[in-house]
Amino acid sequence: MDKQSTDGSSIQTKLERRFEKVVTPFQYFIRDQTTSSILLILCTAIALLLANSPFRDDYQAFVELPFGLVVGNQLLSMSLHHWVNEAVMSLFFFLLGLEIKRELLAGELRNLQRMMPVIAAAIGGMVFPALLFLSLNFGTATEHGWGIPMATDTAFAVGILALLRRRIPPTAFVFLTALAIIDDIGAILVIAVFYTDTIDFLYLASSALGFAALLLFNLLGVRKSWAYLAGGVLVWGTLYQSGVHATVAGILVAFTVPARPTREPDWFLQRVRRLMRRFEHIERQSDSSENILSSNDQHDLVEGVQVAAEKATTPLRRWERALEHPVALFVLPLFALVNAGIPISPNTLHALWDHALASGIVLGLVLGKSIGIPLLAWLAVRLRLGRLPEGLDMRHIIGIGMLGGMGFTMSIFIADLGFTQADQLVAAKSGILVASLLAGILGWLWLRLVCNDRARA
């Protein structure tokens, strides 16, 4: 049944080859930058449909279904909604922390002068939305929602840019990604400092000890994933008990992950060459019908190449790559599925503009981002603190500022932290959904129509 191709490069069966032809397009779809955005939109739509259908009670009961872990005599029980927001989303924050650390060490964020327009734009994209929100909510019971319009949803914003990839410079992706990362850093600080009610300092100290242990692992050169997983669970659990939002643990643990390889590239080249020479020698002397399953020596040599590759790469980059698809295709869609289900009626939409919380969010995300991001980026360039990346001009930055108003994931996350009353939460999430939709449409139209001539040139 196994047939080897004429050039000896493949020993797949016919069934395997047919299956590969079916799966390969799906794999390309999974890797596409717009896929995570499509899944987010789909799960948001499903959640909205369920919350506004005859199944709304079943949907709500499912979201609030309690799950628990028993350790000895201790029971940790939370609803599905809280498990997703408190635990599963920690993977998103862990991946975010890995990306931030990589950008600081080897990416766009390491060159301060080059990044000044981006940093200024990010500050404008946080300050202006918060101020516009407070202009409608200051002195009211909803004023503490000022952190909601500060965030930018990277998946949605980059997904819109990907739809325009032939019409915009590649540096637009770099600018928007760096902007969103700085935005996320600001949002994380806001969550940790302003959305923590009470703190248990004993548990907080325990979390600090766990974090210190992970830093020690890093200094000692420990690169086993299980060590950081165990330490991460400890930091998460103690942070959860301390009162600080547990997802912050994802960021803290990410910053302890080693960013250094064990071996240099020259060692890797020499090692692989030696292994390949030995592999070729065995191959020439072996029976042509023999395969690697029956050759222990060849199998050991192939494993040796894998070990060498692991030593020449960094845990930070490997783990970041390993988490990219699970977070994009499972964590964020699941978050949308359990958080975006809000009841919508004509009265709800009509009252949207009468509710200062909702209108403040829409105003902050749509107008605040559109003004703050390009204005402070322009000011940084004007003051010669830095310059825009090659190929970008202020027209592109205006469009990127509009896309920055797609707050969604982080905005909903902060809304859940800030409000417990059902009517306030519905108003906040309604504002976020409307603002994200408006910002996406406006940004797409601007970049497609206004910036199209420069992209073709």
Side-chain angles (χ1 to χ4, degrees):
M1 189 175 179
D2 289 340
K3 299 293 184 182
Q4 186 166 351
S5 61
T6 55
D7 62 355
S9 61
S10 174
I11 54 173
Q12 291 176 303
T13 64
K14 290 183 179 179
L15 181 60
E16 288 173 336
R17 288 194 293 272
R18 289 174 182 172
F19 181 71
E20 187 177 42
K21 289 181 180 179
V22 175
V23 171
T24 299
F26 180 73
Q27 291 174 329
Y28 282 126
F29 173 75
I30 292 297
R31 289 195 293 265
D32 192 273
Q33 288 176 301
T34 61
T35 301
S36 60
S37 301
I38 292 171
L39 285 176
L40 271 177
I41 293 171
L42 181 62
C43 287
T44 300
I46 291 173
L48 287 170
L49 286 173
L50 289 174
N52 294 276
S53 73
F55 302 103
R56 57 182 175 273
D57 292 335
D58 295 326
Y59 166 77
Q60 198 60 39
F62 177 71
V63 169
E64 299 301 330
L65 185 67
F67 289 86
L69 294 174
V70 178
V71 181
N73 295 324
Q74 298 296 318
L75 172 64
L76 177 60
S77 179
M78 294 188 291
S79 66
L80 173 63
H81 174 255
H82 282 95
W83 273 115
V84 170
N85 287 10
E86 299 277 353
V88 177
M89 280 295 285
S90 294
L91 291 175
F92 165 72
F93 281 90
F94 179 66
L95 176 62
L96 182 62
L98 294 176
E99 291 175 348
I100 292 171
K101 183 172 182 178
R102 175 175 53 80
E103 288 293 329
L104 288 171
L105 294 177
E108 295 297 323
L109 298 182
R110 64 176 175 172
N111 188 324
L112 184 60
Q113 184 177 13
R114 189 169 159 186
M115 284 303 299
M116 278 307 299
V118 183
I119 294 171
I123 293 172
M126 290 184 282
V127 173
F128 276 72
L131 290 177
L132 285 175
F133 177 89
L134 286 173
S135 70
L136 298 181
N137 291 270
F138 187 74
T140 70
T142 57
E143 67 176 355
H144 62 285
W146 58 269
I148 296 172
M150 292 175 60
T152 295
D153 191 295
T154 311
F156 270 139
V158 172
I160 297 295
L161 273 188
L163 296 175
L164 299 162
R165 60 167 61 94
R166 295 182 180 179
R167 302 174 182 268
I168 58 173
T171 47
F173 287 91
V174 177
F175 191 96
L176 178 58
T177 303
L179 171 71
I181 287 175
I182 298 170
D183 246 5
D184 288 333
I185 294 173
I188 291 161
L189 292 175
V190 166
I191 291 170
V193 176
F194 297 101
Y195 287 88
T196 297
D197 295 327
T198 58
I199 296 180
D200 187 315
F201 287 97
L202 180 60
Y203 277 110
L204 191 62
S206 301
S207 181
L209 286 176
F211 179 66
L214 291 173
L215 287 176
L216 182 60
F217 287 167
N218 185 312
L219 293 174
L220 294 175
V222 176
R223 287 171 168 78
K224 298 295 183 181
S225 57
W226 63 263
Y228 292 89
L229 175 62
V233 171
L234 174 63
V235 173
W236 178 88
T238 50
L239 267 184
Y240 175 78
Q241 295 293 340
S242 74
V244 177
H245 202 273
T247 51
V248 176
I251 296 290
L252 295 176
V253 175
F255 273 81
T256 67
V257 173
R260 308 178 309 276
T262 306
R263 299 287 187 173
E264 296 293 335
D266 287 343
W267 174 89
F268 173 72
L269 285 172
Q270 294 173 12
R271 177 67 175 168
V272 171
R273 284 168 181 164
R274 286 199 301 269
L275 292 172
M276 292 305 299
R277 284 196 295 268
R278 290 169 58 188
F279 189 93
E280 289 173 352
H281 177 72
I282 294 172
E283 181 69 15
R284 285 195 296 267
Q285 292 185 337
S286 65
D287 185 352
S288 60
S289 63
E290 188 178 12
N291 59 44
I292 197 168
L293 179 64
S294 59
S295 175
N296 291 331
D297 291 336
Q298 283 186 316
H299 193 276
D300 290 342
L301 289 172
V302 171
E303 286 189 339
V305 173
Q306 293 175 327
V307 171
E310 186 173 318
K311 290 182 178 180
T313 58
T314 67
L316 186 146
R317 200 69 180 98
R318 289 201 309 273
W319 300 351
E320 182 185 349
R321 285 284 180 86
L323 283 173
E324 281 176 352
H325 289 149
V327 168
L329 304 179
F330 173 72
V331 173
L332 294 181
L334 179 61
F335 174 83
L337 197 60
V338 301
N339 284 278
I342 56 175
I344 296 176
S345 65
N347 291 334
T348 303
L349 295 175
H350 182 266
L352 186 64
W353 307 109
D354 296 330
H355 203 300
L357 173 59
S359 54
I361 290 171
V362 174
L363 188 67
L365 283 172
V366 177
L367 189 60
K369 293 279 188 181
S370 298
I371 294 174
I373 289 174
L375 179 61
L376 264 69
W378 173 83
L379 191 61
V381 174
R382 189 74 174 175
L383 295 175
R384 297 185 179 180
L385 299 176
R387 57 188 178 84
L388 295 178
E390 184 178 353
L392 288 186
D393 58 28
M394 286 309 303
R395 293 183 304 168
H396 297 108
I397 305 304
I398 291 172
I400 289 172
M402 292 177 179
L403 292 181
M406 303 181 74
F408 199 74
T409 303
M410 196 70 82
S411 293
I412 290 178
F413 193 84
I414 296 175
D416 268 311
L417 294 179
F419 299 102
T420 55
Q421 294 183 23
D423 60 331
Q424 292 179 335
L425 201 52
V426 168
K429 290 185 178 181
S430 299
I432 293 166
L433 290 174
V434 169
S436 297
L437 180 62
L438 284 175
I441 293 173
L442 290 173
W444 181 81
L445 286 174
W446 178 275
L447 290 170
R448 181 179 176 84
L449 299 177
V450 177
C451 302
N452 191 30
D453 57 337
R454 177 61 59 90
R456 288 180 177 177

